[in-house]
Amino acid sequence: MSPGQGDYKRPTFGYTRSADQDIATTAHHPVIIVGAGLVGLTLAVDLKLQGVPVILLEKRDTLSDGSRSICQSKRTLEIWDRLGVAEQIVQRGITWNTGRIFLRDQMLYAFDLLPEAGHKMPAFVNLQQYLVEAALVERFTELGGEIRWRHELITIEASEDHVTATILTPDGFYHLTSAWLVSAEGARGIVREQLGLNYAGQVFEDKFLIADVKMTGDFPSERWFWFEPPFHDGQTALLHRQADDVWRIDLQLGWDADVKAEQEPERVRARIQKMLGADANFDLEWISVYVFQCRTLERYVHGRVIFMGDAAHQVSPFGARGGNGGVQDADNLGWKLKRVLDGTAPPELLESYSLERLYAARENILHSTRATDFITPKTAASKVLRDTVLELAQAQPFARALVNSGRLSVPAHLQESALNTADEDQFDTVISPGSPAPEAPIMVDGKPGWLLEQLGGEFALLYAATIEDSADAIGPDAGGCRLVVVDPEGSDVRQGELGRRYDLKPGTAYLFRPDQHVVARWRALDGSKLRASLARAQAKRVSEV
Amino acid sequence: MTLANTKMDFEDADAFYASLAKALDATQSEGQALRLTLRLTIILASQIGSKTALGTAIEIAQEPVFDVLQIGDNIG
């Protein structure tokens, strides 16, 4: 079977000898990232945009094989928008908001993941992982970033204030040291193995077949999921459209499937033909049989070594929480690493990365495990329950809430984070300190724009006040925050989504972290409150700001 | 764990389902699981006042594959 890139010609980047290999001493870098998948690349671009020198090591000399993580969520797209790559990904990919659930040949119900207007990004864009990686590689290179292709990390030695890495290249070994080393190597990484760290969680035995099929189908750009479809007795099936007329078909095989036999192209072809009909023309692009785990490390920061993405945690694919969770790890880590490296925040700030992302991973694992348990009931009793729920859901809307084909990725609300400042005032919103900032349209200099663009990647203050009032309240420098002032009597606040989603009233202020999570809010702001919240949000003592 | 001592979160459908599945697993009997499931379905249908749901639950209960269920055996 081909490596799964269809008509797309995967680039070969080739090995380049680094100047670090030709110096007599061991070169030192602030940050080394191991693994140039979509998570490692996202962090690399983020750090580069913040001016942090970063080296990205990759043992291959090309992009991922196979489409892999195809469903890029709204929050992931918002992060990539901040990094300057989302537009390309959205244009290249397939936008979708709607999912449909079928039982046998009947549709049970449809759902809309983004039923309201006023968002820049859609609920999801489907794009093959290698195309996302290509966009990120292009962006990182454009920013002057260095990816060391065919530089394979072999060993690490971690000390109190640095990490020493031994790297194998076609020219032989060399060493590097770094203040921080980030493992974005995936589940089988060498770093975790060398530190002797184990995952805790569940390994599932059910096997699933992924077939990427090239065809001109007349299915809409939606997520379709079948329980017990007529073309695949007693199992489940999932259909997603990707770019370039490639379709992802995911078929449950059961725990006792023969992995090798199930990947035989003729057997796969017969299964797909049964699904699409005898007259359907298609080409097989990529075949893979997978099992999965729902598990995590207990901590993501171990001395000078940091884990993210699949190297830190893994989930089942139902819900698209793997790649999206990893990109949100990178989003959470980038600004913290920058400040710790600068010495403007203490190393304790990185502990908040571990705690916050572990919380998010556990939430993802919980949803992922529940979806898996519904899709693949493990006992006769749970299958009775599952089947009863499916039967009822045909006629009864109340039972549809119990049908679980995967709860699709949404960002975690970090309400328990120690970086937050607790509310003192009343707000009529679904968000609170710790929540990811909801997007909203906003007028900027008389032109329509988006709130998240205005927040950017710094600490930012959204303030429903006049410029004069804000200067009086918090001083002209806004505590060093990017200041987004909105007219409290203007249409964005009075009639717009911005006013509704944030319950803005004259004098209301929201403080956002650089990863665009709400960290504090007030009905009336003063400089001392702002400075205290800024200190807390960076794990500093209040007197330090 | 049994249904009687299972703490159910009715606000969170997935948590509710998970706790129900866990309790049913403890029965170790497909027939008993079915009876409990249908009992719960009928209670839910009664609670929401849905005659259709009630009818559907009873229809499922009457399917011959579930011959272990004694229809009318105090399932309401």
Side-chain angles (χ1 to χ4, degrees):
Chain A
M1 200 69 234
S2 77
Q5 72 273 19
D7 295 337
Y8 176 74
K9 302 297 177 218
R10 274 197 312 170
T12 302
F13 299 102
Y15 164 70
T16 306
R17 188 175 174 86
S18 155
D20 290 343
Q21 293 164 263
D22 296 321
I23 57 175
T25 54
T26 299
H28 182 81
H29 296 275
V31 181
I32 294 174
I33 301 171
V34 187
L38 62 85
V39 176
L41 281 162
T42 297
L43 179 64
V45 172
D46 196 356
L47 290 176
K48 195 73 188 165
L49 280 167
Q50 295 182 73
V52 177
V54 55
I55 297 296
L56 190 46
L57 302 178
E58 174 53 57
K59 64 184 176 185
R60 304 162 305 174
D61 66 350
T62 188
L63 309 171
S64 292
D65 60 336
S67 58
R68 297 181 185 274
S69 179
I70 60 169
C71 297
Q72 320 305 338
S73 75
K74 179 174 182 290
R75 181 62 200 142
T76 293
L77 296 167
E78 289 167 351
I79 292 165
W80 286 335
D81 200 30
R82 180 172 66 74
L83 304 184
V85 288
E87 188 177 345
Q88 187 180 347
I89 288 167
V90 172
Q91 282 180 358
R92 188 82 167 84
I94 303 294
T95 292
W96 65 276
N97 293 312
T98 301
R100 294 182 194 276
I101 308 289
F102 298 85
L103 173 60
R104 297 184 277 277
D105 57 354
Q106 298 290 313
M107 189 180 82
L108 285 181
Y109 64 95
F111 56 87
D112 184 347
L113 291 168
L114 193 57
E116 59 180 21
H119 293 270
K120 181 177 180 184
M121 293 296 161
F124 277 93
V125 165
N126 284 357
L127 188 64
Q128 295 88 321
Q129 183 171 326
Y130 52 81
L131 293 174
V132 173
E133 290 174 359
L136 289 163
V137 167
E138 187 182 326
R139 180 69 172 137
F140 187 53
T141 308
E142 175 187 289
L143 294 168
E146 180 186 1
I147 306 176
R148 296 188 182 178
W149 302 101
R150 296 188 68 189
H151 287 237
E152 181 178 4
L153 180 74
I154 299 298
T155 62
I156 63 158
E157 199 175 308
S159 68
E160 196 175 319
D161 61 355
H162 71 277
V163 178
T164 304
T166 303
I167 297 150
L168 176 63
T169 73
D171 287 338
F173 295 96
Y174 73 106
H175 302 286
L176 289 176
T177 61
S178 65
W180 298 93
L181 184 139
V182 182
S183 167
E185 308 161 276
R188 297 188 190 92
I190 189 82
V191 176
R192 182 187 60 82
E193 187 185 301
Q194 295 222 338
L195 293 185
L197 303 172
N198 294 315
Y199 296 113
Q202 268 183 284
V203 176
F204 291 84
E205 292 181 3
D206 260 275
K207 298 178 180 69
F208 289 79
L209 169 73
I210 285 180
D212 275 359
V213 168
K214 175 104 175 173
M215 64 175 182
T216 311
D218 56 0
F219 298 101
S221 299
E222 298 175 343
R223 176 188 192 262
W224 285 14
F225 192 100
W226 288 264
F227 290 96
E228 302 183 353
F231 53 82
H232 192 48
D233 291 344
Q235 306 279 22
T236 63
L238 175 63
L239 179 70
H240 269 292
R241 186 177 177 189
Q242 307 174 52
D244 301 335
D245 289 325
V246 176
W247 298 75
R248 160 76 61 84
I249 294 169
D250 195 314
L251 299 173
Q252 182 187 5
L253 297 174
W255 63 271
D256 55 350
D258 180 332
V259 172
K260 193 173 173 202
E262 289 294 351
Q263 293 185 82
E264 292 293 332
E266 283 319 303
R267 184 184 286 218
V268 175
R269 180 169 285 282
R271 288 192 184 281
I272 304 299
Q273 203 80 58
K274 197 172 173 187
M275 175 180 183
L276 301 176
D279 299 333
N281 289 314
F282 60 87
D283 293 316
L284 293 172
E285 295 277 339
W286 181 51
I287 297 170
S288 178
V289 171
Y290 69 90
V291 292
F292 50 81
Q293 299 84 34
C294 290
R295 56 188 191 174
T296 178
L297 295 176
E298 293 295 336
R299 288 187 295 123
Y300 299 157
V301 179
H302 292 260
R304 292 286 172 153
V305 176
I306 303 171
F307 293 87
M308 63 177 192
D310 277 4
H313 45 71
Q314 297 125 44
V315 292
S316 80
F318 307 112
R321 290 171 178 265
N324 290 301
V327 170
Q328 287 157 40
D329 289 347
D331 187 42
N332 188 296
L333 178 59
W335 68 274
K336 295 175 179 176
L337 201 46
K338 154 78 174 167
R339 281 160 178 76
V340 171
L341 277 163
D342 282 354
T344 56
E348 289 74 33
L349 185 59
L350 290 174
E351 283 304 315
S352 75
Y353 161 76
S354 187
L355 291 169
E356 291 178 353
R357 292 314 299 166
L358 189 59
Y359 173 84
R362 287 187 170 140
E363 185 174 275
N364 285 332
I365 286 170
L366 178 67
H367 284 294
S368 183
T369 303
R370 284 174 174 172
T372 305
D373 286 343
F374 192 93
I375 291 165
T376 61
K378 304 296 180 298
T379 65
S382 54
K383 186 165 189 319
V384 165
L385 175 63
R386 198 281 299 267
D387 291 348
T388 307
V389 164
L390 288 172
E391 296 289 348
L392 270 174
Q394 285 184 300
Q396 292 306 317
F398 85 88
R400 291 170 195 163
L402 301 172
V403 175
N404 191 343
S405 72
R407 303 293 181 217
L408 286 145
S409 175
V410 289
H413 290 244
L414 307 170
Q415 269 89 358
E416 304 299 318
S417 173
L419 306 188
N420 296 338
T421 298
D423 279 341
E424 295 173 353
D425 305 314
Q426 297 294 312
F427 289 84
D428 182 17
T429 59
V430 296
I431 58 169
S432 58
S435 297
E439 180 63 289
I442 185 171
M443 294 301 287
V444 182
D445 298 331
K447 293 178 184 165
W450 297 99
L451 176 65
L452 298 186
E453 289 176 354
Q454 295 305 306
L455 299 183
E458 305 162 35
F459 277 98
L461 190 69
L462 172 66
Y463 199 7
T466 63
I467 289 283
E468 294 74 26
D469 287 346
S470 72
D472 288 347
I474 55 176
D477 73 339
C481 298
R482 179 188 287 216
L483 189 57
V484 182
V485 175
V486 290
D487 178 356
E489 303 302 330
S491 59
D492 283 337
V493 173
R494 287 268 181 194
Q495 293 99 33
E497 298 297 346
L498 182 70
R500 272 194 288 277
R501 287 174 188 160
Y502 289 87
D503 187 23
L504 293 183
K505 299 185 185 334
T508 301
Y510 275 76
L511 178 63
F512 300 90
R513 307 178 350 175
D515 58 3
Q516 300 180 335
H517 280 251
V518 175
V519 74
R521 59 183 176 175
W522 305 271
R523 286 298 185 195
L525 180 61
D526 66 49
S528 63
K529 286 181 181 176
L530 176 61
R531 283 192 294 278
S533 291
L534 277 167
R536 189 173 294 113
Q538 296 172 83
K540 298 180 191 177
R541 286 189 296 275
V542 173
S543 59
E544 291 178 72
V545 172
Chain B
M1 179 181 284
T2 67
L3 277 179
N5 63 11
T6 300
K7 190 179 174 200
M8 304 243 179
D9 181 354
F10 293 97
E11 298 298 316
D12 178 346
D14 291 342
F16 170 67
Y17 182 91
S19 53
L20 186 56
K22 195 171 178 184
L24 290 175
D25 277 348
T27 66
Q28 297 181 329
S29 154
E30 192 171 348
Q32 196 182 356
L34 178 62
R35 289 176 60 175
L36 290 170
T37 304
L38 292 173
R39 187 194 299 261
L40 185 85
T41 303
I42 289 166
I43 291 167
L44 279 173
S46 305
Q47 289 294 313
I48 64 170
S50 169
K51 287 182 181 173
T52 321
L54 204 56
T56 307
I58 291 168
E59 272 175 31
I60 294 169
Q62 288 172 333
E63 285 179 7
V65 67
F66 300 138
D67 55 358
V68 288
L69 178 73
Q70 296 170 36
I71 301 293
D73 182 15
N74 196 27
I75 58 172

